[in-house]
Amino acid sequence: MTISEFLQPETWFLASNGPRYVQLRHRLEQAISEGVLPPNSALPPEREVAGITGLSRVTVRKAIQEMVEKGIIEQRQGSGTFVREPLERVEQSLTKLTSFTEDMHNRGAETTSTWLERGVFLASDEEIEILGLEPGASVARIHRLRLADGHPMALEHAALPLDILPNPIAITTSLYDVLDQEGNRPVRALQTISALNLAAPEAHLLGVAEGTAGLRIRRISYLSDGRTAELTRSIYRGDAYDFVAELRLTP
């Protein structure tokens, strides 16, 4: 069945079934779930959908925009609107201290990075306080977009004391691998997770619509002697991660 046949109004349109743009959105989502519109296929132009369904272009545009905001489809400038390739959700344990590279490697995924910032910078007030630095000290910073098998997954911004990471340019893949080689790998961490709606710059880098749900993670890691080694602030795609913790009843 073609998408034009699937959208014929006599097969699904019922005026008592809620707003028309919601009905159209549900029908398009059904087309995707049933394979009428497979991943990476193009949706018909708004004008064509309006002609098939008898709905106004304003109604069609509203249905499509909601699907964009939900991350089901994406609009590619100059090309049209396409069904997104669904991401396999990652289950991330909250009981083990691992790196992004290790997590993805354990799942058979290849990791790459797009560097946004990497070098030595004057420490911020927050970095001075958390990392236990003297006023006016510098820190090593790495800021990058993390990808798994070519799919953008997370934005990572890490700051470390210079005696722990003297050369941030040495980081090519895993930060923890480099720290491990120098005997400075963290052994424990405090991690805070909160929800957010992605602002336009972060959404663009992560390949989702502005306002899409995401996860903000703040990690403070420590060496075996108790010294603070790392302050990392990350933003993860909400459609790609499930964080899992095993809980036990305390006697």
Side-chain angles (χ1 to χ4, degrees):
M1 178 179 291
T2 66
I3 185 61
S4 296
E5 294 170 335
F6 198 80
L7 290 178
Q8 291 298 321
E10 62 270 15
T11 64
W12 60 277
F13 186 76
L14 296 173
S16 61
N17 206 28
R20 295 190 174 190
Y21 77 90
V22 174
Q23 294 183 53
L24 176 59
R25 174 170 59 79
H26 287 165
R27 188 61 172 175
L28 288 169
E29 290 173 351
Q30 184 182 356
I32 293 171
S33 66
E34 294 183 8
V36 178
L37 285 171
N40 295 313
S41 64
L43 271 69
E46 289 179 5
R47 180 182 301 174
E48 184 177 333
V49 174
I52 295 169
T53 60
L55 300 172
S56 71
R57 291 187 65 178
V58 172
T59 299
V60 172
R61 186 174 299 117
K62 189 170 184 179
I64 288 175
Q65 188 57 42
E66 284 203 352
M67 294 175 69
V68 171
E69 292 172 358
K70 292 171 68 176
I72 299 170
I73 59 178
E74 61 182 348
Q75 293 172 323
R76 302 174 188 170
Q77 189 170 4
S79 299
T81 304
F82 294 82
V83 179
R84 290 182 64 91
E85 184 80 39
L87 285 178
E88 182 179 351
R89 295 187 69 88
V90 174
E91 281 198 359
Q92 173 65 48
S93 172
L94 291 176
T95 59
K96 296 180 180 178
L97 181 55
T98 57
S99 69
F100 177 88
T101 302
E102 291 167 337
D103 292 336
M104 295 302 111
H105 177 75
N106 290 337
R107 292 167 175 81
E110 180 183 358
T111 61
T112 53
S113 297
T114 298
W115 290 100
L116 306 174
E117 180 183 69
R118 179 170 43 164
V120 176
F121 301 87
L122 186 66
S124 67
D125 291 342
E126 180 188 26
E127 290 165 346
I128 287 172
E129 179 183 357
I130 291 175
L131 298 174
L133 305 175
E134 295 293 328
S138 295
V139 292
R141 283 193 200 139
I142 56 173
H143 184 199
R144 53 185 169 168
L145 172 66
R146 309 304 306 271
L147 302 97
D149 289 337
H151 298 292
M153 302 288 281
L155 289 163
E156 180 184 89
H157 189 288
L160 301 92
L162 285 179
D163 61 328
I164 291 178
L165 182 62
N167 181 19
I169 304 300
I171 308 300
T172 56
T173 52
S174 173
L175 168 63
Y176 278 17
D177 278 353
V178 172
L179 296 180
D180 198 18
Q181 293 168 15
E182 300 297 326
N184 287 325
R185 176 165 179 143
V187 297
R188 67 181 184 91
L190 296 177
Q191 193 158 274
T192 303
I193 303 174
S194 57
L196 81 162
N197 293 108
L198 297 173
E202 291 79 13
H204 175 73
L205 288 168
L206 291 171
V208 297
E210 180 181 357
T212 297
L215 296 168
R216 180 191 290 116
I217 300 174
R218 185 173 183 261
R219 175 188 284 187
I220 302 174
S221 303
Y222 302 89
L223 302 179
S224 57
D225 62 4
R227 183 185 174 192
T228 305
E230 169 201 14
L231 167 62
T232 294
R233 290 153 293 183
S234 303
I235 295 177
Y236 284 75
R237 287 178 56 158
D239 64 345
Y241 273 83
D242 291 316
F243 287 88
V244 180
E246 180 180 359
L247 305 179
R248 295 178 182 272
L249 180 66
T250 301

